[in-house]
Amino acid sequence: AFVENIPEIYILSLLFFSPHFLYLLISVSVLTMDPIPGLSKLTVSSSKKIVLNCSDGKSFEIDEAVARKSKLIADMIESGCDGPIPLQNVTGKTLEKVIEYCKRHVVEFGPSDEDDEEAAEKLAIWDAEFIKVDEETIFHLILAANYLNIEGLLSLTCKTVADYIKDKTPEEVRQIFGIENDYTPEEEEAVRKENVWAFDPNQ
Amino acid sequence: PDLNVVDQDIPLSKNLNFRKIHNYLIILKKSLLFILKLCFSLFFPRERRFQSRTKMALPFCDIPEDLQLRILSFLSPAEISSFACTSKRYASLCREDGKIWHVMCDRKWGKKTQIQKWGSGRITYKLLYKTLNGLDNLIGFWRLCGRANPPDSSPPLVFFEWGSSFVLGSRVLAISDDTYQVRKTPFLEMGISSEGRSENFLDLDGNGRSGDEIDDDWRSNLVPVDVNFMGNGHIMVEENRFSREEHKSPVAKGSSSDESEDATSPPSFVVSEMYTQLANKTTSPRSDRRRQRKKEKERQARIKWEPEHFIKVSDFSPTVTKPLQGLWKGFSEGRNMELYMVKYDEVGGIICKKVEDLSLSRHTSPVFWTRNHAFARCPFSAEEELILDGRIHITPLPVEVCEEVVSGILYMNSSYDLAGRVWLYENGTFGFGFLRDQFIVDLKRVAFEDGCLADVLEA
């Protein structure tokens, strides 16, 4: 009985699902490939594209202006590197995050706004949200930003890590950074006294 | 029941009975659920985060040292002290002056001044940090309070800014009655000697340095002064009449190398250096001493420079909520350019006073004041338009036509003499005028947002 019903089901499925499914398929593909909805409409797509290959085989194609945020890549472009750029020290997941940062920071310096202060504030808020990731990601971002030589991202990530240990006791700092305590309790007390004196603002 | 084979041309055959519909509905439901799951996993990839994840520490030791220092440069000395206690490795890292203190100085002041030039590059970065931290409070505008030297010559406004290896204090003067430009005359230079002692000099001629090289001629015209921080935004600049000969002795360089060595240098080394210094003092070249003695006499012959007190101007720029606040310049009826200061007080009033010697200003009345700082906005009443209409803008020659659009009106205190209006312009500046006459005084800002002086006459 089922075999006989297949054609009906087939036709029914086409009828019922095709408009919805096609719509879903299209919207999903547009949204997943474009992290910021609508951004692709704003950027001029006539600029040159650069392909980046990362260590785990993934490939990313981005605008040249975005790629130039990285001084390493900018230098490579200057010295005539045309094909895909191999980035052996960066994984796909990290590179994705880096590209997200570069894209946001490139768009902002396009048309000069009247409200430069407001734009800078919005950017700062975006940065604060962007950097809300786990420690492992930040660690990889620091190394990637250093390797790719992206000044803004490096400062942002380093400041975030510094904020982790602001106002923390040495023991708490050890836990966050996975540092092993190689002091005996007596040594630790002596070192603490020495450092309080050494870093005293009145000395 | 009979299941007729339905013709392909008729999709929805009337032969469908209830059972068939039920089957179709089940298949529909399953497919929809499948699609929903697909969408969920694509739209909400962070779902995975809600699973329990092992808290992985950030492996600080795996970060290269220059990046470690970069991270540490964002911290204050007290926080570094905590960090230095974590392990032996990091304690030794934080002991290296050239590394940790260098990045801390660079982070805070690298863009403002040339940190490697201070103290001719001979002082420790730790000392530099402490020095620059203290000098940071000086940056900005200060008002003279008390008699000037010589009287009536010192303008009441001074401006401190970063130089390449010093902090420069300049007097801000109105130039003349036909331009908004100001003249910046350097008068005080605060730096640090290569021995680590603070060196402050008064430049009475106001010539300033020619470039970065220290000219001997220029040097001889300088008066050493002490700048004492009296707390709470108050400094006193006082001449230091007793020049210390040890400063000039070339052997004093030995002591600077002592300071830069770490605390583990044996004490006997210091003692032997001291003896060498004392011994060498007696054999210093005679011509040098003669020159020094001559300068000393000259200095003592000069009339003593009276100490000057300065009070800091706390808010010299307008903000969004306080658009009139700060230091302004404009032309009053007397046709001279005047400096004005507008302050908001705690009860929501605004006072505008001329910038002058603070000890005198207590007795002078304000230029204008008001109790309520709320602006009346567009559209303005016909009476207001009438008041504004036909007013003459007092401008420097050649006449600059004032085309500013008024965005807000403030009512001044309504005593007979001081009744008037403050007109806020769209570009952020404002003008004021009294009901008793037909003038508007248009004011411009003395300083930009970043703290730099505006409209400085190039020497």
Side-chain angles (χ1 to χ4, degrees):
Chain A
F2 189 74
V3 179
E4 286 170 327
N5 289 339
I6 282 175
E8 285 174 336
I9 292 168
Y10 176 72
I11 291 156
L12 262 175
S13 335
L14 277 175
L15 268 178
F16 277 113
F17 294 135
S18 53
H20 309 299
F21 194 70
L22 273 171
Y23 167 74
L24 279 167
L25 209 60
I26 290 166
S27 49
V28 154
S29 60
V30 162
L31 286 164
T32 47
M33 289 199 296
D34 193 4
I36 301 162
L39 186 65
S40 51
K41 291 174 202 147
L42 293 172
T43 55
V44 178
S45 52
S46 59
S47 57
K48 189 172 148 200
K49 299 276 184 191
I50 306 281
V51 175
L52 304 173
N53 290 335
C54 39
S55 58
D56 50 4
K58 279 205 210 151
S59 242
F60 293 90
E61 193 187 55
I62 52 175
D63 285 341
E64 184 179 328
V66 174
R68 277 179 173 270
K69 287 293 282 183
S70 152
K71 288 215 182 77
L72 179 78
I73 297 178
D75 288 340
M76 281 174 135
I77 296 173
E78 293 297 320
S79 56
C81 181
D82 248 354
I85 295 178
L87 300 169
Q88 285 311 310
N89 293 349
V90 193
T91 63
K93 186 174 158 214
T94 312
L95 190 58
E96 210 176 316
K97 223 34 193 149
V98 169
I99 289 172
E100 193 186 327
Y101 177 89
C102 293
K103 275 189 177 160
R104 182 63 164 85
H105 280 249
V106 155
V107 174
E108 280 317 299
F109 294 117
S112 65
D113 282 341
E114 286 248 293
D115 286 56
D116 275 327
E117 257 185 66
E118 212 184 285
E121 238 184 83
K122 278 195 193 154
L123 199 60
I125 294 172
W126 186 91
D127 279 349
E129 274 306 308
F130 171 82
I131 212 67
K132 278 185 187 164
V133 289
D134 55 83
E135 289 92 342
E136 195 189 340
T137 314
I138 293 217
F139 172 69
H140 290 299
L141 276 174
I142 289 180
L143 297 179
N146 185 42
Y147 171 65
L148 293 169
N149 201 344
I150 306 172
E151 180 64 36
L153 183 59
L154 191 55
S155 289
L156 178 65
T157 46
C158 284
K159 177 149 205 329
T160 311
V161 175
D163 288 340
Y164 284 164
I165 58 174
K166 248 186 188 348
D167 302 325
K168 296 278 198 307
T169 66
E171 185 49 46
E172 287 168 324
V173 174
R174 283 191 203 112
Q175 275 179 359
I176 296 171
F177 284 159
I179 301 172
E180 212 183 283
N181 184 5
D182 49 0
Y183 285 123
T184 67
E186 303 86 30
E187 280 176 336
E188 199 173 329
E189 185 52 37
V191 162
R192 192 191 64 84
K193 286 211 181 93
E194 185 192 326
N195 282 325
V196 164
W197 176 86
F199 289 92
D200 185 0
N202 299 325
Q203 276 296 320
Chain B
D2 258 13
L3 292 169
N4 299 335
V5 177
V6 178
D7 205 327
Q8 287 220 353
D9 296 325
I10 309 166
L12 275 172
S13 147
K14 286 183 185 159
N15 286 343
L16 290 173
N17 59 12
F18 198 72
R19 199 178 161 74
K20 269 194 184 178
I21 291 169
H22 185 68
N23 284 345
Y24 293 147
L25 281 171
I26 289 173
I27 294 165
L28 243 172
K29 202 167 78 178
K30 281 189 185 164
S31 321
L32 272 169
L33 273 168
F34 170 70
I35 288 173
L36 266 168
K37 262 194 191 171
L38 189 74
C39 296
F40 248 89
S41 65
L42 282 164
F43 280 123
F44 303 108
R46 295 177 219 118
E47 279 277 347
R48 284 177 229 131
R49 272 224 203 137
F50 295 148
Q51 299 159 17
S52 63
R53 62 187 162 116
T54 53
K55 181 135 167 85
M56 189 170 152
L58 202 156
F60 196 73
C61 16
D62 290 344
I63 300 177
E65 191 177 278
D66 58 328
L67 288 181
Q68 287 179 347
L69 287 168
R70 204 173 172 134
I71 292 171
L72 294 175
S73 71
F74 285 100
L75 300 173
S76 72
E79 288 150 0
I80 302 273
S81 139
S82 286
F83 178 79
C85 296
T86 51
S87 83
K88 289 183 184 161
R89 177 183 167 179
Y90 295 121
S92 71
L93 177 70
C94 294
R95 237 177 262 133
E96 293 184 63
D97 179 80
K99 289 190 174 171
I100 186 70
W101 287 105
H102 174 82
V103 289
M104 283 165 74
C105 288
D106 196 40
R107 171 71 51 197
K108 277 190 114 173
W109 299 287
K111 296 208 171 60
K112 299 179 189 176
T113 178
Q114 295 182 331
I115 55 174
Q116 71 277 10
K117 279 197 171 173
W118 283 73
S120 317
R122 302 259 205 83
I123 57 170
T124 64
Y125 281 108
K126 180 173 165 184
L127 178 62
L128 181 64
Y129 188 93
K130 179 190 155 215
T131 311
L132 294 180
N133 215 16
L135 289 174
D136 227 354
N137 299 322
L138 271 181
I139 304 300
F141 289 92
W142 295 70
R143 295 164 67 188
L144 182 66
C145 172
R147 244 170 53 106
N149 297 283
D152 302 328
S153 78
S154 288
L157 192 65
V158 301
F159 175 61
F160 284 95
E161 60 185 330
W162 290 104
S164 59
S165 61
F166 48 87
V167 166
L168 190 65
S170 316
R171 303 208 196 265
V172 178
L173 289 134
I175 294 177
S176 63
D177 57 357
D178 58 0
T179 172
Y180 275 106
Q181 283 188 317
V182 291
R183 190 188 298 130
K184 197 173 80 174
T185 314
F187 83 104
L188 180 62
E189 195 182 283
M190 304 176 64
I192 193 164
S193 71
S194 37
E195 292 87 42
R197 268 178 274 261
S198 62
E199 253 185 359
N200 307 315
F201 290 110
L202 202 60
D203 186 353
L204 290 175
D205 300 324
N207 292 327
R209 290 183 175 226
S210 44
D212 276 334
E213 293 313 308
I214 299 166
D215 201 357
D216 270 331
D217 278 339
W218 175 75
R219 257 269 153 135
S220 58
N221 285 330
L222 297 181
V223 176
V225 291
D226 285 329
V227 178
N228 300 314
F229 290 82
M230 322 276 281
N232 223 12
H234 176 185
I235 58 169
M236 181 174 86
V237 183
E238 188 177 33
E239 185 178 342
N240 181 357
R241 296 222 111 196
F242 311 105
S243 73
R244 285 164 239 169
E245 291 242 329
E246 300 88 81
H247 280 196
K248 307 261 183 352
S249 151
V251 191
K253 285 176 196 160
S255 63
S256 75
S257 63
D258 265 346
E259 278 176 39
S260 55
E261 276 175 25
D262 53 23
T264 56
S265 65
S268 56
F269 180 74
V270 178
V271 172
S272 66
E273 267 295 317
M274 267 170 56
Y275 281 125
T276 333
Q277 273 189 50
L278 286 168
N280 283 357
K281 255 179 96 168
T282 55
T283 60
S284 65
R286 291 199 63 206
S287 55
D288 257 352
R289 303 200 98 217
R290 239 187 279 142
R291 218 190 303 140
Q292 284 166 20
R293 252 184 269 135
K294 193 172 160 206
K295 273 193 221 148
E296 196 50 42
K297 281 195 190 142
E298 272 178 11
R299 213 174 285 131
Q300 277 160 9
R302 208 193 291 130
I303 303 165
K304 183 173 178 252
W305 190 80
E306 290 294 324
E308 288 187 353
H309 294 252
F310 296 94
I311 306 280
K312 191 161 189 182
V313 175
S314 45
D315 303 296
F316 57 81
S317 270
T319 61
V320 176
T321 47
K322 299 184 180 176
L324 296 185
Q325 174 178 265
L327 290 168
W328 303 86
K329 53 192 181 189
F331 294 87
S332 68
E333 297 140 54
R335 301 249 116 196
N336 291 324
M337 189 174 92
E338 301 272 1
L339 295 170
Y340 298 94
M341 190 167 104
V342 180
K343 260 201 272 199
Y344 282 64
D345 63 27
E346 303 83 29
V347 293
I350 302 178
I351 301 181
C352 173
K353 283 188 152 186
K354 283 195 192 167
V355 176
E356 58 195 352
D357 187 342
L358 269 173
S359 56
L360 298 172
S361 74
R362 245 172 266 139
H363 307 292
T364 55
S365 50
V367 175
F368 67 81
W369 62 279
T370 174
R371 253 181 243 117
N372 176 16
H373 70 263
F375 281 91
R377 301 277 174 184
C378 275
F380 304 119
S381 66
E383 306 152 354
E384 290 301 327
E385 297 283 349
L386 208 64
I387 294 173
L388 180 58
D389 228 8
R391 287 213 172 227
I392 304 165
H393 293 262
I394 305 178
T395 55
L397 310 159
V399 174
E400 299 167 17
V401 183
C402 181
E403 290 289 345
E404 300 301 338
V405 179
V406 177
S407 68
I409 298 182
L410 189 66
Y411 295 87
M412 280 191 226
N413 179 51
S414 57
S415 72
Y416 175 75
D417 207 33
L418 281 184
R421 300 284 182 271
V422 174
W423 292 280
L424 182 68
Y425 299 132
E426 255 179 17
N427 67 356
T429 60
F430 69 97
F432 68 91
F434 302 105
L435 292 179
R436 61 170 187 253
D437 59 36
Q438 281 291 90
F439 294 112
I440 297 186
V441 181
D442 289 319
L443 298 181
K444 285 197 182 179
R445 289 172 63 164
V446 170
F448 296 124
E449 275 108 16
D450 56 1
C452 291
L453 262 183
D455 310 317
V456 179
L457 180 73
E458 294 302 320

